[in-house]
Amino acid sequence: MNFRSNRGNNNRGNGAPRVARSRYDVRKRLMIVGGLLGLSSFALLAFAVDRQIIHSDFYRKEGNERYQRDVEIPTNRGMITDRHGEPLAVSTPVMSLWVNPQDIANNPREIDRLADALQYPRAEMARMISEKSKKEFLWLRRRINPAAAQKVLALRIPGVYGQREFKRFYPQGEAIAHVLGFTNIDDHGQEGMELAFDEWLSGKPGKQRVLRDRRGRAVESVDLLKAAEPGKDLALSIDRRIQYLTYRELNKAVEESGAISGTAVVLDIRTGEVLAMANVPSFNPNAVSGSKQDAHRNRAVTDLFEPGSTIKPLTVAAALEAGKITPNTLWNTSPGWIANGRYQTKDTHNYGTLTTTGLITKSSNVGMSLVVRRLSDRQFYDFIRKMGYGQRTNSGFPGEGAGILADPSRWDGTQKQTMSYGYSLSVTPLQVARAYATLANNGTAHTPTFLKGGSDEGKEVLSPKVAHEVMKMMQTVTEPGGTATQASILGYHVAGKTGTARIASGGGYSRRYFAFFAGVAPVDNPRFSMVVVLNSPDASKKGYYGGTVSAPVFRNVIEGALRLDDVPPDDLQSWLAANSKTKAPAAAAKVVTP
């Protein structure tokens, strides 16, 4: 107690001053804070200058990549129409779905939702996204119904987007599949006219710049960089009505005859335009993936066959053009065969003595062998070549075959004779149709075309006189006594030629046949040239001769085509006679009916 008092007294007694506590220097501290704020402001200003002035392009680019994107504007493929403007191939709008795997890879729940929405196995969907987890794009479904796509997009699954596209649709389906061909998943032509005119039909996509939100969805269009250009339309020479008739009758003939396949071509004689071209079996171009690859082949322009007796009018025309024979020259075909090296050329019957016209009417192989002997190898070769055999027709169809016609320097001692009745050379159905159209067109050949109005001026390859003479000879083939009476059409004169050629196999010939008929109508004012080929018809059904299985196809198709195009009859006599016979019983019935 005293101790404390004494210490206090001592302090006061010594007179020492009291020690004061140190105070804050406010001004100094304010200066420091102000300096720091100034430095910070300067740093921010320098940063802004760097970003907005010095390196503005770089940072603008970086920002745009996050919020702006140049997207493609899809465009439709041009429409394909027939010669009358009827649609054969059109493009319809569809939707395609895609996903950014990075947005969903770590979200199993959303992956399951996506798989369920697309009716896809969950495990498979998870595997696909996992494999592409470092990518930014993965197609989910291509070209689906827009309504179905919207249902998936309405779920708002992260990273899932839709893209507008177009899908090709073929209203005529199988009937014209081989002419049109089809397009792939990216809408580019793969076969037929779709391939031949792919650049013409394909549009040029446009491009626009859009703003995206943080989910990557386009929320605003910023700028149109390039307008989309739709594809150009294409008008074909095909007549949809005749095409359907051709396919229907060919399909029926293949089924009834038991043939492996069939091919038919119809040309406009005056222009060379392809009015119809059909093959059986066919395929559905709207569902290509489900068809057999072999069915895609357009046999009318790609497949080769020995023409058989359809070449006989050309053999005769060659000799007539060379002045070696006349239509009335007599030929002794007895005893129904003739030597050909160590082989024999035979007829189905011993026809005895025939005129040149009779050789065509009866389709005599022996007679053709005698005719061609009056021509040199080069004369015969040059004429057949001039008629379009051994070279492409230049129709423009992808994969067109040239056929096989060996140069005379490579012929052996029997080849010319064998060629005179249709063996030892190969042709396409289109080549035969063109050759017959040339005969019917007064000897003027046109290049076959699949385009409406695509005809050339034509080139005279034999004299009109010879062409007219051969046409009259071929007319006898479809009249009583000929080999193709089933090709005749009431009210019209028809000229044609049958053919039945054995199919080569294993270095020789099998017991299977090609059955042909090639013809034109009407004779006096020719409009249509048609070729029908049936491969291996079953002999136990309707036989295998061209006159019995192929000629009826020609008759049914061309009769319909003549009616559709209002072609006036050139054989009124037979038409009036037939009508008078059908009307007479009806008149009699009216008399006796009580």
Side-chain angles (χ1 to χ4, degrees):
M1 187 72 180
N2 293 333
F3 171 76
R4 291 178 180 173
S5 301
N6 292 335
R7 189 180 60 176
N9 295 332
N10 291 336
N11 289 341
R12 283 193 291 267
N14 295 333
R18 180 178 293 183
V19 178
R21 294 181 180 178
S22 62
R23 297 181 178 180
Y24 290 105
D25 190 339
V26 176
R27 177 180 293 181
K28 183 177 181 181
R29 288 182 178 273
L30 287 175
M31 291 178 64
I32 293 173
V33 171
L36 291 174
L37 289 174
L39 288 173
S40 298
S41 299
F42 180 78
L44 288 172
L45 179 62
F47 182 82
V49 170
D50 177 72
R51 297 299 188 266
Q52 298 182 31
I53 299 177
I54 300 176
H55 296 107
S56 61
D57 293 340
F58 171 78
Y59 290 104
R60 186 180 296 113
K61 179 182 176 182
E62 289 295 306
N64 288 342
E65 286 183 356
R66 286 164 174 77
Y67 296 102
Q68 289 186 11
R69 173 166 288 187
D70 295 345
V71 297
E72 187 176 274
I73 304 173
T75 185
N76 63 299
R77 191 173 176 86
M79 180 170 62
I80 301 178
T81 69
D82 81 339
R83 65 187 303 106
H84 302 296
E86 294 293 328
L88 301 177
V90 295
S91 291
T92 57
V94 291
M95 286 286 287
S96 293
L97 296 175
W98 62 278
V99 64
N100 182 345
Q102 294 182 3
D103 291 345
I104 197 174
N106 298 321
N107 196 333
R109 181 175 174 276
E110 296 296 348
I111 293 176
D112 289 346
R113 288 181 66 209
L114 179 60
D116 294 342
L118 295 174
Q119 296 182 344
Y120 209 83
R122 291 184 173 184
E124 184 66 17
M125 178 65 72
R127 183 191 62 80
M128 288 171 50
I129 292 177
S130 176
E131 290 178 352
K132 302 290 185 179
S133 60
K134 295 184 179 180
K135 304 292 184 180
E136 294 185 354
F137 186 91
L138 173 65
W139 282 118
L140 294 173
R141 288 283 169 82
R142 297 291 301 275
R143 297 182 176 183
I144 63 176
N145 187 293
Q150 288 300 332
K151 287 182 179 180
V152 177
L153 294 174
L155 299 175
R156 296 187 176 277
I157 299 173
V160 177
Y161 309 99
Q163 180 172 319
R164 186 169 180 261
E165 292 189 299
F166 291 89
K167 182 180 180 181
R168 211 62 164 158
F169 176 64
Y170 304 94
Q172 306 302 316
E174 297 181 354
I176 197 171
H178 293 97
V179 174
L180 298 179
F182 54 89
T183 59
N184 62 8
I185 193 70
D186 294 315
D187 216 19
H188 288 295
Q190 299 299 291
E191 293 182 11
M193 293 294 99
E194 292 279 26
L195 174 59
F197 292 93
D198 185 57
E199 185 175 349
W200 176 270
L201 293 165
S202 296
K204 296 181 179 179
K207 187 174 290 187
Q208 67 177 347
R209 182 161 294 162
V210 299
L211 285 177
R212 301 184 305 167
D213 63 11
R214 64 185 183 85
R215 292 180 177 271
R217 294 172 299 190
V219 294
E220 183 183 351
S221 177
V222 176
D223 191 17
L224 177 64
L225 303 178
K226 179 183 177 184
E229 297 179 23
K232 303 181 186 69
D233 293 343
L234 182 69
L236 298 186
S237 59
I238 296 293
D239 187 313
R240 178 182 58 87
R241 305 164 302 172
I242 300 176
Q243 177 71 32
Y244 174 75
L245 271 176
T246 304
Y247 177 73
R248 184 189 70 184
E249 294 300 324
L250 183 66
N251 193 44
K252 178 181 176 183
V254 168
E255 182 178 347
E256 292 181 350
S257 68
I260 294 175
S261 62
T263 299
V265 181
V266 181
L267 296 182
D268 186 321
I269 289 172
R270 303 164 302 175
T271 63
E273 291 175 303
V274 180
L275 299 177
M277 181 177 285
N279 294 275
V280 175
S282 186
F283 67 96
N284 184 358
N286 296 304
V288 179
S289 59
S291 59
K292 295 181 180 178
Q293 187 67 32
D294 183 63
H296 296 176
R297 194 170 68 253
N298 188 350
R299 296 172 174 83
V301 295
T302 62
D303 284 18
L304 306 179
F305 60 86
E306 291 176 299
S309 295
T310 60
I311 202 175
K312 290 175 181 176
L314 304 189
T315 301
V316 168
L320 288 170
E321 185 83 347
K324 304 295 184 180
I325 64 172
T326 70
N328 297 316
T329 301
L330 296 177
W331 308 90
N332 182 10
T333 65
S334 295
W337 64 271
I338 190 173
N340 188 18
R342 58 193 180 94
Y343 301 100
Q344 290 183 344
T345 295
K346 297 180 179 180
D347 284 337
T348 55
H349 299 88
N350 180 1
Y351 295 115
T353 300
L354 297 170
T355 64
T356 303
T357 299
L359 298 181
I360 296 294
T361 306
K362 298 298 183 182
S363 194
S364 172
N365 294 337
V366 174
M368 291 303 115
S369 300
L370 296 173
V371 169
V372 82
R373 286 181 178 181
R374 299 197 180 185
L375 296 169
S376 69
D377 291 356
R378 181 55 63 178
Q379 281 179 312
F380 185 50
Y381 170 85
D382 287 345
F383 185 85
I384 298 301
R385 179 88 178 176
K386 188 168 56 173
M387 293 299 289
Y389 290 177
Q391 55 191 317
R392 292 181 178 85
T393 68
N394 294 322
S395 67
F397 197 92
E400 180 180 3
I404 300 173
L405 179 63
D407 187 83
S409 61
R410 296 165 53 195
W411 292 0
D412 58 26
T414 65
Q415 193 158 345
K416 183 174 72 172
Q417 180 171 322
T418 306
M419 287 172 59
S420 71
Y421 51 87
Y423 290 91
S424 297
L425 77 162
S426 295
V427 298
T428 67
L430 181 59
Q431 287 175 330
V432 177
R434 181 190 185 228
Y436 274 60
T438 300
L439 291 172
N441 196 33
N442 294 317
T444 298
H446 285 289
T447 300
T449 178
F450 288 87
L451 299 181
K452 179 184 178 181
S455 175
D456 59 7
E457 295 181 356
K459 178 181 179 182
E460 186 175 301
V461 295
L462 76 157
S463 69
K465 177 177 180 294
V466 169
H468 179 74
E469 289 174 342
V470 175
M471 284 285 291
K472 288 299 182 182
M473 293 181 194
M474 291 195 299
Q475 183 178 324
T476 66
V477 174
T478 65
E479 296 175 342
T483 58
T485 56
Q486 293 191 55
S488 62
I489 300 173
L490 183 63
Y492 298 88
H493 291 302
V494 174
K497 187 70 191 74
T498 58
T500 307
R502 293 178 67 175
I503 298 176
S505 177
Y509 288 91
S510 67
R511 294 195 175 275
R512 297 185 298 116
Y513 297 85
F514 282 120
F516 314 117
F517 183 80
V520 298
V523 171
D524 294 341
N525 183 25
R527 290 289 300 276
F528 304 112
S529 169
M530 183 176 185
V531 172
V532 181
V533 184
L534 295 182
N535 180 2
S536 305
D538 188 343
S540 66
K541 291 190 173 183
K542 298 184 69 174
Y544 55 82
Y545 291 107
T548 56
V549 296
S550 298
V553 178
F554 171 91
R555 178 194 64 224
N556 295 338
V557 172
I558 297 302
E559 184 175 29
L562 291 167
R563 303 287 188 270
L564 288 169
D565 275 14
D566 293 325
V567 179
D570 66 340
D571 185 15
L572 286 173
Q573 233 176 3
S574 65
W575 186 83
L576 291 171
N579 276 274
S580 63
K581 288 179 183 179
T582 58
K583 290 179 180 179
K590 288 182 180 180
V591 173
V592 299
T593 300

